[in-house]
């Protein structure tokens, strides 16, 4: 029984290939291979656990790639509940060199049978019983019904469990319709999903549909939250450079950790920003050093003092 | 107990990604994914079985990729003996579109422990007992001792089993030193491995070391064999276009099938050329239509007639 259940609808084996020089139309020897369990929710659960939160990974997993993820999560000490599916879990391949931007090749993800979607909903109901927060994070497999996300939110709400959804497109709308407590799109996702002309209008639309709080990430420009009062903005930590992959997922984890502590909204946003900045310092998505998170939280605190004393 | 044992030292999961347009430094959605068990020897064993030869695949296999290959071979109805290894079997990723040449990204392959190499040698000894031919096909994992190939040849010879080696580099030399019956490099591999200035000199060097027959493939220009008599040349089948990947492996399979029938050398080379041409007609490596092989063999026959009547 975990405090936080993180549902990753479309997990992935994230593979990174280092080559001497990316070239199209040639045979290239891969100099180094890294494989890690991926998908946004998997990054979220890893950071949550690093922050000391009792979090469980829940995901549909199939084929050799699914088995690999199960093994890798076990090796990382991350409790996981796999819902078995017949199709192969997807792989993403990122090709890197020291010369050009990385090239990312993303498989669309498996087709799940209706019975498998139902098994995932049942597993969600079982996992959230006794939990405090359900996080749904990342894309659905191509072709999946976006109403699934709304259904998961309803399952959690009926169990009295808080909900945080980091998604995009119609899934964001179904989560709002189902009364998700927190939605966390980035600015582009918000405008695309709602068709709104501005960020405040988009956030208002999601709240009108039923969401309580809309936290919009602006990448390097910080986070802005739209709730019952005035919008609240926190900047990112200044001067942090590194690998932004997974920073948004770390921010989601920071936000959830703060929600569990019943922090006020501004503190929760600062915790999210601090966790995101800490993730930028790490070469791999899904990792933060808690010392960095505490340090950056202090940096962001408008009233200097020990953040742990709050 | 199979007639032919095909040892693949460095098998692979061969993945093909179709994208709209290959681009460096961007995120690309993969439109279609194909996975098949690969490595040259896996192609050879698949074609051998299609040609009606009782052949067994033998390979070191590890991790999720190794388990996937084991399952895939079973699905294809190919008897296989896997020697378990701790490291992950490699994957190759080929990216294709309709605009540019394919891009191939090849992992170097797993590092095997000495005990795993010994287990592979033991499994080879067990598998060749009662077999008629051992085929060793394809690269060694990066960092492997090329003397392993010579050792496998010796194991087969001590069991009275014929040997065919399709390899390159120092492994080709160790196979020759061990007295392999047939070596099948391409022209570039022959010159690189022997350092010879010409193909006849390179073939003579391999024969001086101990090989009985050196069959040199020239791709679209056919095959030339260097044995006890004058060199024998057969052309490729004219006018065949398609996918050349795996054509050399199909040629190896054709050659082995002819050896098992004790065909004369010219007929064996023609069978190899016919199988290679038949493979070009198939979109996927490791496949031939036996009807195509028979038809092409008739086309290549200098004395027209029913090739089956020979």
């Amino acid at each position: 029984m975990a405090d936080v259940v993180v549902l990753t609808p479309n997990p992935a084996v994230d593979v990174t290939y280092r080559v001497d020089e990316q070239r199209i139309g040639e045979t290239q020897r891969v100099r180094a291979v890294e494989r890690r369990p991926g998908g946004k929710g998997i990054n979220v659960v890893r950071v949550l656990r690093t922050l000391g939160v009792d979090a469980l990974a829940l995901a549909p997993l199939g084929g050799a790639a699914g088995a690999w993820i199960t093994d890798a999560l076990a090796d990382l000490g991350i409790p996981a509940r796999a819902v078995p599916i017949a199709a192969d879990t997807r792989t993403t391949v990122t090709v890197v060199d020291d010369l050009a931007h990385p090239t990312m090749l993303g498989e669309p993800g498996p087709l799940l049978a209706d019975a498998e979607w139902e098994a995932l909903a049942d597993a969600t109901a079982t996992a959230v019983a006794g939990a405090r927060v359900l996080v749904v994070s990342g894309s659905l497999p191509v072709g999946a019904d976006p109403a699934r996300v709304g259904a998961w939110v309803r399952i959690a709400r009926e169990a009295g469990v808080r909900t945080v959804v980091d998604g995009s497109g119609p899934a964001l709308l179904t989560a709002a319709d189902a009364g998700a407590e927190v939605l966390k799109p980035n600015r582009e996702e918000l405008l695309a999903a709602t068709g709104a002309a501005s960020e405040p209008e988009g956030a208002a639309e999601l709240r009108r549909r039923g969401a309580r709080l809309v936290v919009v990430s602006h990448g390097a420009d910080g986070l802005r939250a739209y709730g019952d009062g005035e919008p609240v903005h926190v900047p990112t930590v200044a001067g942090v450079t590194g690998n932004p992959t997974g920073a948004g997922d770390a921010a989601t984890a920071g936000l959830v950790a703060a929600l569990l502590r019943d922090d006020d909204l501004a503190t929760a946003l600062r915790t999210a920003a601090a966790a995101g900045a800490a993730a930028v310092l790490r070469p791999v998505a899904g990792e933060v050093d808690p010392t960095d998170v505490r340090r950056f939280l202090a940096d962001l605190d408008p009233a200097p003092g020990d953040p742990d004393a709050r």
Side-chain angles (χ1 to χ4, degrees), chain A:
Chain A
M1 200 72 69
D3 284 338
V4 179
V5 175
V6 183
L7 171 50
T8 306
N10 199 14
V13 178
D14 284 340
V15 181
T16 303
Y17 283 163
R18 175 162 286 277
V19 299
D20 291 336
E21 182 182 355
Q22 297 183 64
R23 289 171 185 271
I24 286 171
E26 299 192 6
T27 293
Q28 287 163 90
R29 186 173 290 281
V30 173
R31 298 296 175 186
V33 183
E34 270 179 43
R35 283 187 163 74
R36 62 167 195 278
K40 289 171 67 69
I42 300 290
N43 295 336
V44 172
V45 76
R46 290 183 64 185
V47 174
L48 276 171
R49 293 194 65 87
T50 303
L51 297 178
V53 173
D54 176 23
L56 169 83
L58 173 63
L61 290 168
W68 187 88
I69 290 177
T70 300
D71 290 348
L73 290 176
D75 288 347
L76 291 165
I78 295 171
R81 199 159 298 169
V83 173
I85 60 172
D88 281 357
T89 291
R90 75 190 163 123
T91 294
T92 69
V93 175
T94 303
V95 187
V96 301
D97 59 23
D98 292 326
L99 305 163
H101 286 288
T103 302
M104 210 280 268
L105 300 154
E107 297 182 13
L111 284 177
L112 273 67
D114 281 344
E116 292 170 338
W117 284 117
E118 283 159 27
L120 183 58
D122 290 347
T124 304
T126 303
V128 298
R132 296 175 61 199
V133 181
L134 171 70
V135 180
V136 179
S137 181
S139 64
L140 291 169
V142 169
D145 181 356
R148 305 283 178 197
V149 177
W152 299 326
V153 169
R154 272 188 292 273
I155 286 167
R157 292 194 64 195
E158 281 162 18
V161 173
R162 304 169 75 173
T163 51
V164 176
V165 178
D166 181 355
S168 60
L172 200 61
L173 303 181
T174 74
D177 292 341
E181 179 177 346
V182 182
L183 296 181
K184 186 179 167 290
N186 64 33
R187 188 183 146 80
E188 292 67 37
E189 289 166 343
L190 174 69
L191 297 181
T194 60
S198 74
E199 180 180 309
E201 286 173 35
E205 167 65 12
L206 292 181
R207 282 173 43 79
R208 190 190 61 71
R209 282 170 174 265
R212 282 230 352 247
L213 181 70
V214 179
V215 177
V216 183
S217 54
H218 297 149
D221 293 327
L223 297 157
R224 188 178 294 268
Y226 299 83
D228 288 334
E230 283 295 300
V232 179
H233 176 258
V234 299
T236 48
V237 180
V240 178
T241 58
N243 167 33
T245 311
D249 304 327
T252 301
L255 188 67
V256 170
L259 287 182
L260 284 171
R261 289 191 301 257
D262 289 319
D263 284 347
D264 62 72
L265 180 55
T267 305
L269 291 187
R270 282 195 294 271
T271 308
V280 170
L281 293 183
R282 301 285 298 185
V284 171
E287 296 183 3
V288 296
D289 183 332
T291 311
D292 291 331
V293 180
R294 280 193 291 272
R295 174 164 62 93
F296 290 145
L297 187 52
D299 289 348
L300 288 168
D301 193 345
D306 178 7
D308 289 334
R310 248 189 292 257

